Amino acid sequence: MTNWVFQGTVLPDGTDGELAVGSAGTRRALPGRFALPGLVDAHCHVTVTVDDDGPLLGGQDLADKRMAELAQDGIGLVRDVGGERSVTLHLTEMDGRPIVQAAGRFFAPEGRY
């Protein structure tokens, strides 16, 4: 994995400095003139998957896989809007992974989810 480094004026505050994109791997200067620090997935269910019977809650393995996929896709922040709270409430910013804002458990009628 590459750790891209941007040097110049960081907006919106206009300060000059260095901004690292990612936190692991070999440091390399970011090519080009502009950088977008990351996308936001504002409606995500990190621990929800689907099988033949419909949606179901997965565990830590699913969350780890999903977080790696989100990071690979350029997502910098995930708003998890419901899932397996024993997993999602403990997800934190990890090297090269998106920041997680976790809602915790679902509010749904009995027998759903």
Side-chain angles (χ1 to χ4, degrees):
M1 175 179 267
T2 300
N3 183 11
W4 296 108
V5 178
F6 168 80
Q7 291 180 318
T9 303
V10 179
L11 300 176
D13 61 5
T15 60
D16 287 330
E18 183 176 283
L19 175 66
V21 181
S23 56
T26 305
R27 293 174 61 92
R28 293 182 52 193
L30 188 64
R33 297 182 54 102
F34 299 96
L36 182 66
L39 303 172
V40 174
D41 188 333
H43 188 120
C44 186
H45 299 277
V46 175
T47 59
V48 176
T49 189
V50 177
D51 67 5
D52 293 337
D53 296 325
L56 62 101
L57 294 176
Q60 187 68 49
D61 290 342
L62 175 63
D64 289 340
K65 179 181 177 217
R66 181 87 34 88
M67 292 297 289
E69 291 169 351
L70 290 164
Q72 183 68 34
D73 291 340
I75 305 296
L77 174 74
V78 173
R79 185 173 156 258
D80 184 273
V81 293
E84 178 55 59
R85 67 180 173 199
S86 66
V87 176
T88 59
L89 292 178
H90 298 289
L91 290 174
T92 60
E93 185 178 7
M94 298 176 281
D95 288 345
R97 301 288 175 92
I99 297 168
V100 176
Q101 294 179 344
R105 72 179 183 93
F106 283 107
F107 289 114
E110 188 173 335
R112 306 281 179 113
Y113 295 108

